[in-house]
Amino acid sequence: MAKNSDVMEARLNIEEDFKKGYDLPVYVYKPWCKSCEICVAFCPKQVLEMGEDRKPRVARPDDCILCRQCEIRCPDLAIFVTREKKK
Amino acid sequence: MRMHPSYEMLRPGKKFPHVWCPGCGHGIVQGAIIRAVQKLGLPRDEMVMVSGIGCSSRMPVYVDFNSLHTAHGRAIAFATGVKLHNPKLHVIVITGDGDALAIGGNHFIHAARRNADLTVILMNNNIYGMTGGQYSPTTPIGKRASTAPYGTAERDFDPCALAQAAGAAFTARGVVYNAVELEKLIETALTRKGFSLVEAISPCPTLYGRLNKEGSAVKMLQWQKANTVNVKAAEKLPPDQLNGKIITGVFHDVETIPYTQIYNQIIQRAQASK
């Protein structure tokens, strides 16, 4: 995957991952992530962890409450919740 | 599966990740602006984003609105022109603390005095980030910058109080830690007639944080969390407990007749008397 990509390319890459059966509640688009760790630090349920590649890893997907705090605070638009909130 | 809702507002063809440093709060403000615009359902063709020079002013490059990237400090002057020419447009000015208060200080106070119908988002990171960390008009007294290695001797501006004194219709302050509140403040500011200012306190972990030993981006956001007081709670606290705290919320919100409307009335009167 290219280091820099525009939004169209990012969407295609993410959709491809979805088609391959990506099934976690949080998606990290790694090429855009700058490893600031804000998402990991402020997740209220400690769903995320820093991986060995210094990018967040969805370590405890079952604990995710779909609050979108990671999505709202990510300065790089690199992380988002893949499921709609249950009403 | 759900796609990131902000992606449809990003400018195609622009390479990401953006230019801001890891953990810079400006990206969080960008997200809040996009969500506020989406929530209000404003058509993208009616949005204009005007910016000057500085870290914050890179934003119109990434957000797919009509955009204008202008001279240092002059964003508000250009934006007033855009709004006068076509009052239907929603004009957002993206500016930083140095851009709006030092180089563009006069444009800022006079746009507030005229009550130009603009939404000004002032990203305050207390330093000039792009040029190497010189102290800015909002660097708190005693804090270090590359041009103040022993701490600055100057007092800092309160942009909200300044705008209110100059005649702004709406002033509010938010912190990026509380991005949901910030989004709501921006949303309110976009619906207000007249000069609306939202000051977004945004951490600069690379320069301000390093020079003042405030730690990583996460530490700076945790500091914001611990040192933010809402304006309603602040009214009940004694002043000594508010030292060094950031007061957030809406400070000033009044109904006014915007500059654009008065200007158009004058045009109509002048044309009728011909």
Side-chain angles (χ1 to χ4, degrees):
Chain A
M1 223 180 266
K3 197 168 174 277
N4 296 316
S5 50
D6 88 326
V7 65
M8 306 303 240
E9 206 181 320
R11 288 179 84 143
L12 286 176
N13 289 335
I14 295 166
E15 267 156 22
E16 206 168 288
D17 272 358
F18 284 175
K19 268 183 212 151
K20 279 183 199 156
Y22 188 89
D23 195 32
L24 297 175
V26 180
Y27 185 95
V28 183
Y29 186 57
K30 288 185 182 177
W32 288 9
C33 174
K34 290 176 187 156
S35 311
C36 69
E37 294 188 41
I38 287 175
C39 54
V40 178
F42 293 104
C43 175
K45 293 283 174 188
Q46 286 83 44
V47 170
L48 303 160
E49 242 175 44
M50 281 315 260
E52 276 176 16
D53 56 352
R54 303 254 308 121
K55 309 275 178 194
R57 191 166 60 83
V58 189
R60 285 167 286 275
D62 296 340
D63 291 354
C64 180
I65 52 169
L66 314 181
C67 68
R68 300 186 190 167
Q69 294 285 314
C70 52
E71 180 182 313
I72 285 166
R73 287 215 186 87
C74 176
D76 293 275
L77 308 160
I79 188 166
F80 62 95
V81 172
T82 58
R83 291 175 198 162
E84 293 293 341
K85 270 183 214 165
K86 281 179 207 130
K87 276 178 189 162
Chain B
M1 298 289 261
R2 176 178 174 268
M3 179 59 78
H4 197 307
S6 301
Y7 284 2
E8 56 192 64
M9 289 289 200
L10 300 182
R11 199 184 293 279
K14 280 288 158 198
K15 294 285 182 198
F16 283 82
H18 47 54
V19 75
W20 299 312
C21 304
C24 173
H26 291 3
I28 309 178
V29 183
Q30 175 181 280
I33 294 172
I34 291 176
R35 286 194 304 278
V37 170
Q38 281 177 328
K39 215 167 161 194
L40 290 169
L42 301 172
R44 224 182 317 180
D45 286 346
E46 287 179 16
M47 302 298 304
V48 186
M49 209 178 231
V50 187
S51 74
I53 299 296
C55 291
S56 59
S57 300
R58 289 287 296 176
M59 192 186 291
V61 176
Y62 302 116
V63 184
D64 195 15
F65 298 151
N66 299 300
S67 57
L68 207 55
H69 199 166
T70 71
H72 203 357
R74 316 293 174 227
I76 290 174
F78 281 84
T80 310
V82 171
K83 186 73 188 179
L84 277 179
H85 179 69
N86 188 351
K88 270 188 210 153
L89 299 171
H90 292 271
V91 185
I92 303 181
V93 178
I94 303 294
T95 183
D97 45 316
D99 194 48
L101 301 172
I103 299 98
N106 260 311
H107 293 298
F108 181 80
I109 54 172
H110 287 287
R113 177 181 62 82
R114 286 182 188 133
N115 201 17
D117 196 1
L118 308 171
T119 307
V120 179
I121 317 284
L122 196 157
M123 288 180 226
N124 183 354
N125 57 5
N126 308 106
I127 207 155
Y128 284 91
M130 189 171 266
T131 48
Q134 293 83 358
Y135 69 86
S136 82
T138 58
T139 308
I141 189 163
K143 292 287 182 184
R144 289 194 185 90
S146 62
T147 44
Y150 303 103
T152 165
E154 297 175 17
R155 292 189 298 173
D156 54 324
F157 259 141
D158 177 344
C160 290
L162 177 68
Q164 186 182 336
F170 178 88
T171 62
R173 184 184 292 128
V175 292
V176 298
Y177 166 75
N178 203 342
V180 178
E181 187 201 16
L182 183 62
E183 178 193 326
K184 281 184 188 146
L185 293 173
I186 295 170
E187 200 188 317
T188 318
L190 279 167
T191 59
R192 290 293 182 270
K193 296 260 175 262
F195 191 88
S196 331
L197 170 76
V198 178
E199 183 193 354
I201 308 286
S202 165
C204 172
T206 304
L207 284 161
Y208 186 81
R210 239 179 240 169
L211 289 164
N212 290 291
K213 303 198 166 44
E214 292 196 1
S216 63
V218 171
K219 287 230 172 79
M220 290 184 86
L221 286 193
Q222 279 164 344
W223 181 89
Q224 282 193 349
K225 184 186 177 184
N227 289 283
T228 303
V229 185
N230 189 276
V231 64
K232 282 180 191 138
E235 279 167 8
K236 290 171 196 146
L237 287 172
D240 58 308
Q241 279 187 34
L242 294 172
N243 267 346
K245 302 272 184 199
I246 305 172
I247 300 170
T248 62
V250 178
F251 299 108
H252 186 64
D253 187 3
V254 287
E255 284 263 324
T256 53
I257 304 167
Y259 180 49
T260 339
Q261 205 176 320
I262 298 169
Y263 204 83
N264 278 336
Q265 281 167 357
I266 291 170
I267 292 173
Q268 276 166 9
R269 247 200 337 262
Q271 281 175 341
S273 64
K274 255 186 192 173

